[in-house]
Amino acid sequence: MNRKKMLSQIEATALFDVIVIGGGASGLGTALDSTLRGYKTLLLEKDDFAKGTSSRSTKLAHGGVRYLKQGDVGMVREALRERGLMKENAPHLVHDQKFIVPVYDWWDAPLYTTGLKVYDVMAGSLGLGKSEMISKEKTLRHIPNLSEEGLIGGVRYYDGQFDDARLAVTLAQTISDFEGTLLNYAEVVGLEKDELNKVDGVRFIDSETGTEHIVKGTTVVNATGVFVDQILTMDDENHEPVVSPSQGVHIILDKEFLKGASSIMVPRTSDGRVLFAVPWYDKIVVGTTDTPLDSIDAEPRALEEEIEFILKTAGQYLQKAPKRSDVRSVFAGLRPLVKKQEVETKNISRSHKILVNKSSLITIVGGKWTTYRQMAEDAVDTIEKVAHLPPVKCITRDLLLHGYKQGADRLDVRSVYGNDLPKIEALISEAPKLGVEIHPELPYRFADVFWGVKHEMARTVEDILARRTRSLLLNASASIEAAPEVAKMMAGILGKDEAWVDNQIEEYTALAKGYIC
């Protein structure tokens, strides 16, 4: 991917078939499906790909056990199927993950076992493993530092785990591989309409130059997640909001807090939320909260009460209770839940909806990472109906994504490059300095920085440290210390001056401090 080339493609195209606004999971999925069906497709993202919710998840590709309890069988079945397809199409990014539900009440054992058996049946041939009740002794072998007091045993089941931001980058690369056009740091500031008041294009500003562009498109898709209402208001100033945002917070701890290879899933905490503690590279992710919000921000911050809730609840299930000083990073993400009046967000389904305005603007609302491909298929099917196009078969179910590689070492953070990794290693052979780690406490090398800028359209230090690598989440403090050298290397590649370097260091430091507990 090359940003200059992408801009040239935009300027050379008089009319796109499909313009997608938003570079998160749903937008990237839609742009990929549209491109593969042969439509000339453009995706525009105001910040960086997956800058928002799509890089701030629990890192789980899962059916949603709690939605089974709510009776949302259709969504769970769909998510379980999509979970299996994610693993088949991107095995270098999506892995099986063993979960243990600790049982401290005799009444819970048959309840959880039966529910998870249903989960297995619904997954069918795409299942990842059979669930079963296990003894107290076996539970403690899987989770050696689990609190033993009152422990009866556990229920073991399987779900999926992935690296969200890296999957987003992989989708972007796959779009580029198939001649789709996509551009980050391109903020849509207005919708173009024809004489019948139908949307037929967009106006966007290239944030790097300040230049405004007008691009025409037969259909426009609003896939901006929690920000869909902003685009809908551009279309109709009297628009009623359709999204009810909810904030989820996670903390990152060292692996010592969860020594086994299994994850913990607590289905019912003190306030009804689900808590996960999941191994992720050489750390663990613990979360999540579910806090309704009245307003949204591009850089959401964890609330003090959310951090305290996670620490307190995790301490009830881990033999070693984590303290604030143990937290390597804390991050918040916003969920674009479909708006329902007077309903708690933890009880709102994550099912997606496709809306079509009178202006023919198409909007994707709701959904979650696991079902991104199905959301995209539904969106492109809708595009064909709205634009009166002859249906073209969707082929994303069997599409092997960029970098596809089986047998990747899931513990190696660089395995996410898949078949691109040998190319990165070749860079190090040619220039050994690229093999130096960016920081003693981070597992990335300067070759990864070089690759992110040259081949993955990274434009800022944040792009590299937050999403092309996961340095910000793995160790926020160490990432701040790594920022100056990363900025200097990027400046050399991008042709930037010292003022740019200083500004990047300052901006990244301010952002990353918000991830330190």
Side-chain angles (χ1 to χ4, degrees), residues 1-2 48-49 166 169-170 172-173 184 402 416-417 420 424 448-459 463-464 467-469:
M1 296 193 296
N2 179 283
D48 184 34
F49 307 119
R166 287 304 314 181
V169 172
T170 296
Q173 290 171 306
N184 51 359
H402 182 96
V416 295
Y417 292 111
D420 279 342
I424 299 174
D448 304 329
V449 178
F450 183 89
W451 187 265
V453 177
K454 293 289 286 186
H455 299 286
E456 297 176 343
M457 279 171 66
R459 308 300 292 178
D463 295 349
I464 288 291
R467 290 173 291 279
R468 304 309 183 278
T469 74

Side-chain angles (χ1 to χ4, degrees), residues 45 65 86 92 127-128 140-141 173 196 216 234 255 363 384 404 432 455 501:
E45 163 56 45
V65 174
M86 284 175 72
H92 56 303
L128 305 181
L140 290 171
R141 283 202 298 273
Q173 290 171 306
L196 298 176
K216 292 293 186 176
M234 289 182 188
K255 189 67 172 64
T363 299
E384 292 178 337
Y404 175 92
H455 299 286
V501 171

Side-chain angles (χ1 to χ4, degrees), residues 303-467:
L303 303 174
E304 285 297 313
E305 55 265 35
E306 292 178 303
I307 298 171
E308 289 301 323
F309 169 79
I310 294 174
L311 289 171
K312 180 181 178 181
T313 306
Q316 295 171 4
Y317 292 90
L318 302 177
Q319 209 168 59
K320 181 180 178 181
K323 305 185 297 292
R324 292 182 73 96
S325 57
D326 296 316
V327 178
R328 296 303 179 197
S329 185
V330 56
F331 63 97
L334 305 181
R335 303 184 184 97
L337 304 178
V338 180
K339 192 175 183 65
K340 292 184 180 180
Q341 296 296 326
E342 298 179 359
V343 179
E344 291 183 75
T345 61
K346 58 176 173 285
N347 293 322
I348 295 178
S349 170
R350 298 290 292 278
S351 296
H352 65 275
K353 296 183 184 298
I354 309 295
L355 310 178
V356 181
N357 279 23
K358 292 179 180 179
S359 65
S360 296
L361 174 69
I362 298 168
T363 299
I364 305 172
V365 187
K368 61 178 186 171
W369 244 123
T370 310
T371 56
Y372 86 89
R373 194 212 60 81
Q374 184 62 58
M375 292 162 63
E377 181 178 341
D378 292 347
V380 181
D381 286 348
T382 303
I383 288 169
E384 292 178 337
K385 292 174 184 176
V386 170
H388 305 291
L389 299 169
V392 177
K393 183 180 179 181
C394 171
I395 61 172
T396 55
R397 288 192 181 207
D398 302 311
L399 177 72
L400 306 184
L401 298 182
H402 182 96
Y404 175 92
K405 182 182 179 181
Q406 292 184 325
D409 180 4
R410 63 177 299 176
L411 298 179
D412 179 2
V413 296
R414 303 175 75 242
S415 66
V416 295
Y417 292 111
N419 282 325
D420 279 342
L421 188 56
K423 301 172 188 176
I424 299 174
E425 295 298 336
L427 294 174
I428 295 172
S429 297
E430 296 171 9
K433 288 185 178 180
L434 291 177
V436 176
E437 291 183 339
I438 64 173
H439 189 279
E441 295 180 28
L442 292 170
Y444 300 103
R445 305 177 188 182
F446 281 101
D448 304 329
V449 178
F450 183 89
W451 187 265
V453 177
K454 293 289 286 186
H455 299 286
E456 297 176 343
M457 279 171 66
R459 308 300 292 178
T460 71
V461 168
E462 181 193 340
D463 295 349
I464 288 291
L465 293 179
R467 290 173 291 279

